[in-house]
Amino acid sequence: MNIHEYQAKQVLKGFGAPVASGVAITSASEAEAAARQLPGPLYVVKSQIHAGGRGKGKFKELGTDAKGGVRLAKSVEEAVAHATEMLGNTLVTAQTGDAGKQVNRLYIEDGADIARELYCSLLVDRSVGRVAFVVSTEGGMDIEAVAHDTPEKIITVAIDPAAGVTDADVAKISDAYGLDGAAREDAKSLFPALYKAFTDKDMALLEVNPLIVMTDGHLRVLDAKVSFDGNALFRHDDMKALRDETEEDAKEIEASAWDLAYVALDGNIGCMVNGAGLAMATMDIIKLYGKEPANFCDVGGGASKEKVAAAFKIITADPAVQGILVNIFGGIMRCDVIAEGVVAAVKEVGLKVPLVVRLEGTNVDLGKRILNESGLAITAADDLDDAAQKIVAAVK
Ligand code: ADP
Ligand code: MG
């Protein structure tokens, strides 16, 4: 689950990280009052969408000469003018895709006098099984280019979970940034605070880009992106409350309402499976035969007929899907329940693309009979290999 920048800053502030003061608004009429709460004389009007690259982004409706999705203003009036122009329009950034995202919310923030823009993120470094800081002196709006062209400028500092962020870790990060004076002092509390926020709240990613050194020598978190580990959200009701469903894929919301694991991908074969291992094997074998999965929906063990039907409807709702492969190994899950769910879903929403079904395991004969007697145009497959070849052939 992702949250907005202004929410992420609120969370980080709670852990003692230095952030600017700011006010989130959803209508232009709130802009003036919001800006007047800030000290000035510099204001920043920031689009709140779940995508980065806003500064360099362009509004579809405003043409290429208009300013981007993060704008500086030197007066309250200018901030209001920006807010009025930005709200409701569609921002296209390197991360949104061509469709862009509608800006329904702005964060009006105190402007900072920036001396240096640094990059700092925390993530789970699976190669060492630890939370790690990833830092670079080359912060700001081009970190992707830095990672591509000069990867040696990106440094990783993994944290020992038993010790937490030690003085030595802070020194290592501070040296990598070349911090001195007030910034070096600030670092002693900032980096442990970021680590504590990450681990306490079960984050999957915390990215501060840029972390700035201001002209007064102090550090400030100027941008913040936070993603939470969905599997741990059940123990963070306060974070769950920050969810903005208008920013999420409708199919993923529907899937999570049914407690289904749904993942959208780039290809055109929709996959219904049970279990993560079977999902991966199914996707691998589709690729082996020359096609790409459009998505997969894992119905897990012991799903009801209604849940299976919901999964099937989510898969077919993706316009990229040109064929569906149902690949189920019935262990706890029963093949007849899968068959009933698929038949119920097809009766409700129809079947416009080829469907290949491979069932194996508990109640397989009953499951096959339900599919056969349904009268639906379903291609039965004997095993995984056969199933993959049949769906790839049907889509080609
Ligand atoms: P994005 O990464 O989506 O482009 P950022 O929040 O990083 O958005 O903002 C882009 C750039 O705008 C920053 O790199 C920084 O130069 C400038 N900026 C953002 N917030 C402020 C602020 N409060 N004061 C001054 N400059 C800012
Ligand atoms: Mg940024």
Side-chain angles (χ1 to χ4, degrees):
M1 185 191 86
N2 297 326
I3 56 174
H4 289 294
E5 173 200 3
Y6 78 95
Q7 297 170 317
K9 285 179 170 171
Q10 222 30 59
V11 173
L12 295 180
K13 190 178 174 188
F15 285 87
V19 299
S21 44
V23 183
I25 62 167
T26 54
S27 73
S29 61
E30 298 168 88
E32 182 175 350
R36 294 218 183 278
Q37 288 179 51
L38 303 176
L42 190 61
Y43 306 86
V44 186
V45 185
K46 309 186 76 174
S47 307
Q48 299 298 292
I49 55 171
H50 284 188
R54 297 162 300 165
K56 290 196 167 170
K58 288 286 173 199
F59 285 99
K60 256 189 181 168
E61 295 84 354
L62 302 182
T64 45
D65 289 341
K67 291 203 168 74
V70 174
R71 300 181 176 186
L72 296 178
K74 294 204 173 72
S75 66
V76 170
E77 292 69 31
E78 201 188 336
V80 172
H82 283 314
T84 309
E85 188 174 84
M86 292 160 77
L87 266 175
N89 283 329
T90 312
L91 186 60
V92 180
T93 81
Q95 294 181 13
T96 59
D98 293 340
K101 286 206 156 192
Q102 190 176 42
V103 176
N104 297 318
R105 202 179 294 264
L106 297 172
Y107 192 46
I108 304 192
E109 193 180 56
D110 182 29
D113 292 320
I114 303 173
R116 295 177 63 202
E117 298 202 4
L118 310 170
Y119 177 87
C120 176
S121 66
L122 279 105
L123 44 76
V124 181
D125 184 344
R126 291 178 199 283
S127 66
V128 292
R130 290 181 172 187
V131 174
F133 283 86
V134 177
V135 305
S136 174
T137 52
E138 311 302 304
M141 295 193 270
D142 284 315
I143 191 66
E144 288 81 6
V146 176
H148 185 262
D149 302 336
T150 48
E152 69 281 1
K153 289 190 173 165
I154 296 177
I155 289 156
T156 303
V157 179
I159 304 303
D160 179 341
V165 180
T166 62
D167 293 348
D169 294 328
V170 172
K172 215 190 256 180
I173 299 168
S174 300
D175 288 343
Y177 285 140
L179 298 182
D180 52 21
R184 206 169 174 99
E185 273 309 301
D186 290 351
K188 291 176 186 167
S189 56
L190 174 63
F191 296 117
L194 295 179
Y195 180 81
K196 188 164 169 44
F198 187 95
T199 51
D200 276 14
K201 298 297 181 190
D202 289 311
M203 293 176 186
L205 174 73
L206 165 55
E207 187 181 56
V208 178
N209 184 32
L211 167 67
I212 58 163
V213 183
M214 295 189 288
T215 48
D216 69 4
H218 285 283
L219 293 178
R220 182 179 277 181
V221 169
L222 209 67
D223 185 12
K225 175 182 175 170
V226 167
S227 306
F228 296 97
D229 178 350
N231 292 316
L233 269 177
F234 71 93
R235 56 185 182 193
H236 300 292
D237 285 341
D238 51 344
M239 300 296 112
K240 253 202 302 209
L242 302 178
R243 185 166 180 185
D244 180 356
E245 292 198 339
T246 64
E247 289 286 329
E248 296 178 20
D249 182 313
K251 292 188 288 299
E252 289 184 12
I253 295 169
E254 177 70 8
S256 80
W258 282 95
D259 198 23
L260 290 161
Y262 169 83
V263 177
L265 299 159
D266 297 328
N268 46 30
I269 296 180
C271 304
M272 185 160 97
V273 295
N274 63 328
L278 194 58
M280 284 190 280
T282 305
M283 292 189 289
D284 279 350
I285 201 158
I286 287 172
K287 288 185 184 215
L288 179 69
Y289 286 112
K291 282 282 175 187
E292 299 279 330
N295 55 43
F296 74 85
C297 196
D298 178 0
V299 298
S304 65
K305 169 185 153 189
E306 289 73 25
K307 186 167 167 176
V308 171
F312 196 83
K313 283 190 258 178
I314 289 166
I315 291 171
T316 51
D318 180 348
V321 169
Q322 293 172 10
I324 299 168
L325 174 55
V326 174
N327 184 27
I328 299 289
F329 182 80
I332 302 170
M333 189 72 229
R334 288 169 18 216
C335 293
D336 56 313
V337 174
I338 293 287
E340 282 180 349
V342 168
V343 170
V346 171
K347 282 198 174 134
E348 197 178 320
V349 297
L351 184 62
K352 296 166 200 79
V353 296
L355 169 62
V356 174
V357 178
R358 179 253 178 164
L359 295 176
E360 197 53 76
T362 310
N363 288 0
V364 61
D365 293 334
L366 183 55
K368 284 182 176 168
R369 197 163 77 225
I370 291 166
L371 292 177
N372 283 337
E373 290 172 359
S374 71
L376 302 175
I378 296 170
T379 307
D382 298 326
D383 56 37
L384 183 49
D385 208 52
D386 184 39
Q389 292 187 49
K390 279 180 171 156
I391 192 63
V392 167
V395 166
K396 266 182 181 154

